[in-house]
Amino acid sequence: MATVEASSSDGKGQGVETPVTYYRLEEVAKRNTLKEMWLVIHGRIYDITRFLNEHPGGEEVLLEQAGADASESFEDVGHSSDAREMLKQYYIGDVHPNDLKPESGNKDPLKNNTCKRRYSLRFPVPFLLHVGKQILLRRPC
Ligand code: HEM
């Protein structure tokens, strides 16, 4: 079931209200046939049914991603800015917030409290003690 909600931002900080249709991932997963094909790229859903036989990379690669999150494979190919621009034509909505994956790892160093020593003192300290002892105990010849 699709949910339509107003988004409070147009992405430019202008505060323009644009309705966004949210779809659950289970809805997207059902659209995996040649008759109806959707895929997800960076949390956005695209209906690529009419694009299938126009895709310069062939329809085979799209079929493999049908109904699923294709963000990684889309990026791996290194699509041009023209290709990214084309996405707009096929955009139909966003992934429902409840289905969004959490950010992997906490990249904020202030929130990451684990202090990791960047070098180890285990090797140089005993080594220097050993060398110092050898020098002190050295017998004059
Ligand atoms: C709606 C989504 C997509 C659009 C609009 C799109 C568009 C394009 C365009 C315009 C090209 C020509 C090269 C370029 O301008 O970058 C291309 C090539 C290609 N695409 Fe996509 N693509 C989409 C999704 C995907 C996905 C999900 C894959 C998965 C692997 C894929 C794989 C490829 C490959 C392998 C090529 C050929 C690259 C080459 O020959 O160098 N595309 N695509």
Side-chain angles (χ1 to χ4, degrees), residues 1 27 50 60-61 98 104 112 129:
M1 198 48 188
E27 289 295 314
R50 63 198 157 96
E60 199 61 32
V61 284
N98 290 356
S104 56
N112 191 350
L129 286 174

mmCIF file of all heavy atoms in Angstrom, residues 1 27 50 60-61 98 104 112 129:
data_model
loop_
_atom_site.group_PDB
_atom_site.id
_atom_site.type_symbol
_atom_site.label_atom_id
_atom_site.label_comp_id
_atom_site.label_asym_id
_atom_site.label_seq_id
_atom_site.Cartn_x
_atom_site.Cartn_y
_atom_site.Cartn_z
ATOM 1 N N MET A 1 0.852 -1.201 0.000
ATOM 2 C CA MET A 1 0.000 0.000 0.000
ATOM 3 C C MET A 1 0.882 1.243 0.000
ATOM 4 O O MET A 1 1.801 1.356 0.790
ATOM 5 C CB MET A 1 -0.833 -0.089 1.284
ATOM 6 C CG MET A 1 -2.074 0.724 1.433
ATOM 7 S SD MET A 1 -3.271 0.778 0.181
ATOM 8 C CE MET A 1 -4.283 2.051 0.851
ATOM 9 N N GLU A 27 6.293 -4.049 -1.593
ATOM 10 C CA GLU A 27 5.551 -3.621 -2.790
ATOM 11 C C GLU A 27 6.494 -3.573 -3.996
ATOM 12 O O GLU A 27 6.143 -3.974 -5.099
ATOM 13 C CB GLU A 27 4.954 -2.220 -2.573
ATOM 14 C CG GLU A 27 3.809 -2.166 -1.606
ATOM 15 C CD GLU A 27 2.611 -2.930 -2.128
ATOM 16 O OE1 GLU A 27 2.257 -2.764 -3.311
ATOM 17 O OE2 GLU A 27 2.038 -3.716 -1.356
ATOM 18 N N ARG A 50 9.202 0.931 -19.002
ATOM 19 C CA ARG A 50 9.289 1.416 -20.393
ATOM 20 C C ARG A 50 10.729 1.725 -20.805
ATOM 21 O O ARG A 50 11.005 2.030 -21.962
ATOM 22 C CB ARG A 50 8.361 2.622 -20.614
ATOM 23 C CG ARG A 50 8.699 3.831 -19.800
ATOM 24 C CD ARG A 50 7.551 4.809 -19.720
ATOM 25 N NE ARG A 50 7.702 5.641 -18.548
ATOM 26 C CZ ARG A 50 8.251 6.844 -18.575
ATOM 27 N NH1 ARG A 50 8.680 7.356 -19.718
ATOM 28 N NH2 ARG A 50 8.373 7.554 -17.472
ATOM 29 N N GLU A 60 19.275 -7.135 -19.629
ATOM 30 C CA GLU A 60 19.690 -8.249 -18.765
ATOM 31 C C GLU A 60 20.102 -7.764 -17.375
ATOM 32 O O GLU A 60 19.649 -8.294 -16.355
ATOM 33 C CB GLU A 60 20.869 -8.973 -19.457
ATOM 34 C CG GLU A 60 21.140 -10.373 -18.960
ATOM 35 C CD GLU A 60 19.956 -11.324 -19.160
ATOM 36 O OE1 GLU A 60 19.194 -11.187 -20.140
ATOM 37 O OE2 GLU A 60 19.805 -12.172 -18.285
ATOM 38 N N VAL A 61 20.953 -6.712 -17.353
ATOM 39 C CA VAL A 61 21.449 -6.211 -16.061
ATOM 40 C C VAL A 61 20.319 -5.639 -15.205
ATOM 41 O O VAL A 61 20.350 -5.733 -13.980
ATOM 42 C CB VAL A 61 22.562 -5.142 -16.239
ATOM 43 C CG1 VAL A 61 23.874 -5.779 -16.614
ATOM 44 C CG2 VAL A 61 22.172 -4.067 -17.223
ATOM 45 N N ASN A 98 10.196 3.376 7.281
ATOM 46 C CA ASN A 98 10.377 2.172 8.115
ATOM 47 C C ASN A 98 11.238 1.103 7.440
ATOM 48 O O ASN A 98 11.715 0.190 8.091
ATOM 49 C CB ASN A 98 9.025 1.523 8.459
ATOM 50 C CG ASN A 98 8.224 2.362 9.408
ATOM 51 O OD1 ASN A 98 8.697 3.399 9.877
ATOM 52 N ND2 ASN A 98 7.007 1.941 9.676
ATOM 53 N N SER A 104 25.370 2.614 7.892
ATOM 54 C CA SER A 104 26.322 1.629 8.407
ATOM 55 C C SER A 104 27.490 2.323 9.110
ATOM 56 O O SER A 104 28.177 3.148 8.516
ATOM 57 C CB SER A 104 26.837 0.753 7.266
ATOM 58 O OG SER A 104 27.383 1.571 6.288
ATOM 59 N N ASN A 112 31.858 8.608 18.674
ATOM 60 C CA ASN A 112 32.565 7.346 18.746
ATOM 61 C C ASN A 112 33.597 7.432 19.864
ATOM 62 O O ASN A 112 34.658 8.014 19.700
ATOM 63 C CB ASN A 112 33.237 7.078 17.390
ATOM 64 C CG ASN A 112 33.765 5.678 17.311
ATOM 65 O OD1 ASN A 112 33.798 4.975 18.310
ATOM 66 N ND2 ASN A 112 34.197 5.279 16.128
ATOM 67 N N LEU A 129 64.807 -0.973 26.705
ATOM 68 C CA LEU A 129 65.314 -1.399 28.025
ATOM 69 C C LEU A 129 66.461 -2.395 27.843
ATOM 70 O O LEU A 129 67.483 -2.330 28.529
ATOM 71 C CB LEU A 129 64.187 -2.035 28.850
ATOM 72 C CG LEU A 129 63.158 -1.048 29.414
ATOM 73 C CD1 LEU A 129 62.019 -1.810 30.067
ATOM 74 C CD2 LEU A 129 63.802 -0.098 30.427
#
